[in-house]
Amino acid sequence: MKRAYELTLNGTVYRLRLTARAQKKLIKEYGQQAAQVCVDGFADLDKLCSVLNELLHWSGSGNPELSGEDFCDLLVDEGYALVSDVPELVINAMAESGLLTEGQRDATIAQLRGAIDASLDSLNTAEPAENPTGTL
């Protein structure tokens, strides 16, 4: 069995892997290295759906026929947050695909969590905007 990141959603096991063919396709489509496309996908839904599509569709995956967009929706339906959980899933799949070492995976996930926490903290401490009209 080929190496892949596995997760179970709604009783179905999905095996995610970014093969060399998939990486070449992302490079051709976006003009960037595949790892960069994956990271850019954290803030770009089009890229994220392309990455998810490639993670799903590889020879021998055994995955059901599902588009990247539909898989993204399934992840949300299963409780995954697009800001944190889906990027973490992509990072784990990148590591299983040989794009990252385990140490790089762990460091990247820690950086992602730190950035999200900092961003949310800044939202909670932001000064309320002035209301020039004085109405609600």
Side-chain angles (χ1 to χ4, degrees), residues 66-134:
L66 193 64
S67 71
E69 290 86 355
D70 290 338
F71 189 63
C72 187
D73 290 340
L74 175 61
L75 289 167
V76 170
D77 291 343
E78 290 290 312
Y80 282 69
L82 286 175
V83 172
S84 55
D85 300 327
V86 175
E88 192 168 319
L89 177 148
V90 170
I91 292 166
N92 281 313
M94 289 171 67
E96 284 300 315
S97 302
L99 289 169
L100 300 171
T101 65
E102 286 185 31
Q104 291 168 329
R105 178 200 63 206
D106 295 345
T108 304
I109 289 172
Q111 287 175 337
L112 173 69
R113 289 177 181 164
I116 291 167
D117 289 346
S119 179
L120 293 175
D121 286 347
S122 72
L123 289 174
N124 292 332
T125 60
E127 292 292 321
E130 287 187 32
N131 186 350
T133 63

Side-chain angles (χ1 to χ4, degrees), residues 13-82:
V13 175
Y14 292 88
R15 301 185 69 238
L16 307 178
R17 180 182 170 129
L18 202 58
T19 63
R21 177 173 286 137
Q23 291 177 50
K24 288 173 65 175
K25 187 174 178 183
L26 290 172
I27 291 167
K28 184 175 182 179
E29 183 175 354
Y30 292 103
Q32 299 174 297
Q33 290 301 312
Q36 186 62 52
V37 175
C38 291
V39 172
D40 287 353
F42 303 162
D44 181 327
L45 190 57
D46 182 53
K47 286 183 180 180
L48 176 63
C49 289
S50 291
V51 168
L52 292 175
N53 193 62
E54 295 305 323
L55 285 169
L56 282 170
H57 299 106
W58 50 277
S59 178
S61 71
N63 293 325
E65 200 51 45
L66 193 64
S67 71
E69 290 86 355
D70 290 338
F71 189 63
C72 187
D73 290 340
L74 175 61
L75 289 167
V76 170
D77 291 343
E78 290 290 312
Y80 282 69
L82 286 175

